[in-house]
Amino acid sequence: MLFHLSISNYALIDSAEIEFDRGFTVITGETGAGKSIMLGALALILGQRADTSVIRDKERKCVVEAGFDIADYGLEELFKTEDVDFDTKTYIRREILPEGKSRAFVNDIPVTLQFLKNLCERLIDIHSQHQNLLLGDFKFQLAVVDNVAANEAERAAYRQEYHNYRHLQKERDKLIKLNEKQSSDRDYWDFQVQQLSEARLVDREQEELEKELEQLIHIEEIRSALTLADGLLSSGESPVNDRLYMVQTEIEKIESWLTGGRELAERLRSVLIELRDITSGLSRIAADLEFDPQRLSFVRDRLDLIYSLQQKHKVGSVGELIAILNELQDKLNALDAFDEEIEKLDYKIAESKSRLDKAADVLAQSRRGVFETLEKHIVSNLAELGMPNARFLVDCREADDYREDGRDVIQFLFSANKNGELCEIPKVASGGEMSRLMLCIKALLSTAKGLATIIFDEIDTGVSGEIADRMGRIMKEMGRNIQVISITHLPQIAAKGISHLKVSKRDTDKLTVSEIKKLNSEERVLEIAGMLSGSELSEAALINARDLMS
């Protein structure tokens, strides 16, 4: 519940501290005194967009702070989700800076406006005359039924299965679209797979073929170089091998006398053995070399094929071509497995639909179970509010498709007159009738849902006398369950308040200011008497005021 409201530098209010009590509180004051200003300040707490035009002194920031007792409303999880400190006495503050920026705080921790809205919609409901238009809104009507039915668990179960069902349907649609697109590419993929498969690609084949091609192209130069090298080593007037042997022999003669001679001789022997082996190899390689024009043609053709495939697929290696081939084969395999995947999804969708139907039936039963209670309550309260012939019916039909809030399409039907045709509320209800009807609905919600606080902003417009007195009794009765605050011009309602606040304004030398004061018993008598008789208080008005309050 709202227990404190502090307003600083807002519109006509320089500074105000307001304490609120439990139960039914009334707020009175002359037209233009500033009652709507207080609501505007409170709307900032509820997350309404800030506007610098409300700043009274443009040199200072505007601050509105509200204190709420939230011990009984199960909001711990919401605070935890937003990483905000939870306290049973929670303070919400909005600041509007002169340059136009605004800031929001919950328990002195900065928060977003969205979090503020999510929090405050669980704490307070401001009902103004334009909200009566909600009576024609199907979503509002459904929400009323759900609140009376207290079926949050049933709705949560339905929503969970609904989202699962929709997810599976989207997956199926996505798979079908993908398959349709890929099916149009099948022939192209088949051709590419055939072309790459026929190439019989082997990883690192390209490097080996390129080396072989270089050898085949330069085979004559290679053979000539090998022959010359072989001749230099083993033939001619002074072969290298013979001269090296002579060197080895000379060193061997002195190896025992020369320091390190033995090691030098051993090295020469090793070199000679290696050089003779090289000479033998040169001869053998040269003998084996033979120009093969057919092999040269094959290698060139093979490399041309590889190069053309690389250019076509914009890659630089055989390994990448093999990867493309594997990817294309996977796509074709996926196309072949499409029917199987669709069959699996269809089975899952059918199972989900079965669970969804059951959840929808359970949710519908919870709603239909309160129709009679809701109708009787509304009709009973309307009769007390001077509409003895009023009829109210909750019409329900099943939608053709699944919706996030179930398959039920709820519509409130109303008639104010005996034997009148039941119709949609906006078509047949006057402004005063809609106000009374909305009050009856809010009264029912106060017992069913246990709202924290509800504020009625002149809901009594268009009524007077005995009807106003009965409206006051209903609001006072609502105050047994929740905190009710009513801004009113009617003494019959003002007299029913457990607590009474008066808004007034006065002129100073420079400007006009609004003030808010909590009235004591005698001040209440004077205020209500003034509402009855005007500025000149008569003894009859005072007696009447005391009588109303009693």
Side-chain angles (χ1 to χ4, degrees):
M1 71 162 235
L2 174 68
F3 65 83
H4 176 80
L5 181 63
S6 170
I7 305 172
S8 173
N9 197 33
Y10 181 88
L12 297 180
I13 300 176
D14 179 52
S15 178
E17 299 283 339
I18 312 167
E19 303 298 327
F20 292 92
D21 297 324
R22 294 182 179 276
F24 183 33
T25 295
V26 295
I27 301 176
T28 62
E30 294 181 1
T31 301
K35 299 185 295 298
S36 60
I37 293 175
M38 187 194 74
L39 282 183
L42 193 55
L44 288 178
I45 295 294
L46 304 185
Q48 179 177 294
R49 286 192 173 276
D51 184 351
T52 56
S53 64
V54 302
I55 300 180
R56 182 172 177 269
D57 180 354
K58 303 301 181 182
E59 300 299 318
R60 297 186 292 125
K61 67 182 178 181
C62 164
V63 181
V64 181
E65 184 174 74
F68 291 89
D69 184 342
I70 62 172
D72 301 328
Y73 302 108
L75 296 172
E76 290 87 349
E77 192 62 33
L78 177 62
F79 277 69
K80 183 179 179 181
T81 301
E82 295 292 329
D83 198 23
V84 176
D85 292 340
F86 176 83
D87 195 320
T88 55
K89 294 291 191 296
T90 282
Y91 288 86
I92 301 173
R93 185 172 77 253
R94 282 292 298 280
E95 297 179 355
I96 308 174
L97 306 181
E99 59 268 25
K101 294 182 179 179
S102 74
R103 299 181 297 188
F105 302 85
V106 174
N107 294 332
D108 288 327
I109 296 176
V111 297
T112 64
L113 286 186
Q114 188 57 52
F115 171 70
L116 209 59
K117 290 177 181 177
N118 293 341
L119 172 61
C120 289
E121 72 181 8
R122 306 270 294 272
L123 298 177
I124 191 165
D125 175 21
I126 297 180
H127 177 88
S128 57
Q129 293 182 54
H130 76 271
Q131 198 183 34
N132 291 336
L133 298 176
L134 288 174
L135 287 170
D137 184 274
F138 296 149
K139 288 187 177 180
F140 173 77
Q141 296 174 1
L142 182 61
V144 169
V145 172
D146 284 335
N147 286 328
V148 175
N151 58 11
E152 178 57 35
E154 290 86 348
R155 281 184 286 147
Y158 174 86
R159 279 195 302 269
Q160 181 179 357
E161 196 54 56
Y162 170 81
H163 289 304
N164 179 58
Y165 177 70
R166 293 293 299 145
H167 172 73
L168 290 171
Q169 284 188 318
K170 288 178 181 178
E171 283 295 306
R172 187 181 191 278
D173 293 341
K174 181 180 176 181
L175 187 60
I176 289 175
K177 288 180 180 179
L178 180 63
N179 182 73
E180 289 174 350
K181 179 182 181 302
Q182 292 181 339
S183 293
S184 65
D185 296 330
R186 179 189 282 273
D187 291 341
Y188 178 60
W189 291 346
D190 277 331
F191 170 74
Q192 288 181 313
V193 167
Q194 181 180 0
Q195 189 179 48
L196 289 170
S197 297
E198 289 176 350
R200 301 185 182 280
L201 299 168
V202 179
D203 197 20
R204 306 196 64 80
E205 174 188 17
Q206 179 182 350
E207 292 85 345
E208 295 174 0
L209 287 173
E210 287 172 342
K211 290 179 182 178
E212 184 180 359
L213 178 63
E214 287 295 315
Q215 179 173 307
L216 288 170
I217 292 174
H218 300 94
I219 195 166
E220 290 301 326
E221 291 93 325
I222 295 170
R223 184 183 294 162
S224 175
L226 289 172
T227 301
L228 177 59
D230 180 51
L232 290 172
L233 290 171
S234 60
S235 61
E237 294 182 0
S238 182
V240 172
N241 286 340
D242 291 349
R243 295 174 68 183
L244 185 60
Y245 176 73
M246 292 171 62
V247 172
Q248 175 192 343
T249 301
E250 293 301 319
I251 295 300
E252 285 177 345
K253 291 176 181 180
I254 63 172
E255 67 175 298
S256 59
W257 306 325
L258 178 66
T259 301
R262 183 169 297 178
E263 293 178 8
L264 183 59
E266 184 63 35
R267 289 171 64 191
L268 284 168
R269 282 192 290 272
S270 297
V271 170
L272 186 58
I273 291 171
E274 182 68 19
L275 198 56
R276 285 172 177 170
D277 186 61
I278 290 173
T279 303
S280 175
L282 290 174
S283 302
R284 187 170 58 255
I285 294 171
D288 290 342
L289 280 176
E290 182 179 354
F291 178 68
D292 186 348
Q294 291 184 341
R295 179 64 183 174
L296 176 62
S297 177
F298 170 80
V299 171
R300 279 177 168 162
D301 290 345
R302 183 69 176 165
L303 284 172
D304 285 344
L305 173 62
I306 291 173
Y307 294 150
S308 66
L309 289 173
Q310 288 176 346
Q311 184 177 12
K312 176 179 179 179
H313 294 281
K314 295 181 175 58
V315 295
S317 70
V318 172
E320 290 173 296
L321 288 174
I322 293 173
I324 290 173
L325 172 61
N326 292 335
E327 182 182 348
L328 290 170
Q329 287 175 330
D330 288 342
K331 289 182 177 180
L332 289 172
N333 292 337
L335 282 176
D336 293 336
F338 168 74
D339 291 339
E340 183 179 346
E341 288 296 318
I342 285 292
E343 185 177 346
K344 289 179 180 178
L345 270 176
D346 285 341
Y347 179 76
K348 290 181 179 180
I349 288 172
E351 283 190 322
S352 177
K353 183 178 182 298
S354 177
R355 293 192 299 267
L356 186 61
D357 284 334
K358 291 178 181 177
D361 289 341
V362 171
L363 180 56
Q365 289 172 12
S366 74
R367 289 166 173 165
R368 287 172 171 78
V370 301
F371 286 176
E372 185 176 355
T373 299
L374 197 156
E375 291 165 351
K376 287 183 177 179
H377 180 94
I378 298 297
V379 170
S380 175
N381 275 356
L382 286 175
E384 186 176 347
L385 293 176
M387 301 174 65
N389 297 316
R391 288 188 295 150
F392 181 85
L393 178 70
V394 182
D395 183 57
C396 181
R397 64 176 178 82
E398 189 175 275
D400 296 331
D401 57 352
Y402 298 98
R403 303 178 181 184
E404 191 170 15
D405 50 14
R407 299 193 69 174
D408 302 305
V409 179
I410 300 293
Q411 186 174 40
F412 291 168
L413 302 178
F414 172 75
S415 172
N417 305 311
K418 185 182 293 185
N419 298 324
E421 182 182 358
L422 286 165
C423 292
E424 299 172 31
I425 295 172
K427 292 183 178 180
V428 295
S430 65
E433 290 168 344
M434 291 182 77
S435 293
R436 283 177 269 183
L437 186 54
M438 182 60 91
L439 176 61
C440 295
I441 290 174
K442 296 283 184 174
L444 179 59
L445 293 180
S446 71
T447 59
K449 184 181 180 183
L451 291 169
T453 299
I454 185 168
I455 299 177
F456 290 114
D457 182 15
E458 298 184 358
I459 194 175
D460 48 32
T461 299
V463 299
S464 59
E466 180 63 22
I467 302 304
D469 185 72
R470 293 174 180 176
M471 289 183 76
R473 286 206 298 268
I474 289 176
M475 283 187 266
K476 185 175 182 178
E477 184 64 28
M478 290 172 64
R480 296 178 182 273
N481 303 305
I482 65 172
Q483 182 185 43
V484 179
I485 301 170
S486 177
I487 298 174
T488 182
H489 288 292
L490 299 180
Q492 295 91 339
I493 292 178
K496 299 293 188 296
I498 302 301
S499 179
H500 191 149
L501 299 173
K502 180 180 179 180
V503 181
S504 59
K505 66 179 179 179
R506 61 182 176 84
D507 294 325
T508 66
D509 293 338
K510 296 182 179 180
L511 43 78
T512 300
V513 296
S514 284
E515 297 176 334
I516 304 171
K517 179 184 179 182
K518 188 172 184 178
L519 303 182
N520 59 33
S521 297
E522 191 55 35
E523 287 171 334
R524 288 192 66 192
V525 172
L526 295 176
E527 172 69 7
I528 294 171
M531 296 172 72
L532 287 166
S533 64
S535 58
E536 294 186 9
L537 297 181
S538 64
E539 185 61 30
L542 291 170
I543 294 172
N544 195 4
R546 290 190 178 92
D547 184 54
L548 282 174
M549 290 178 62
S550 66

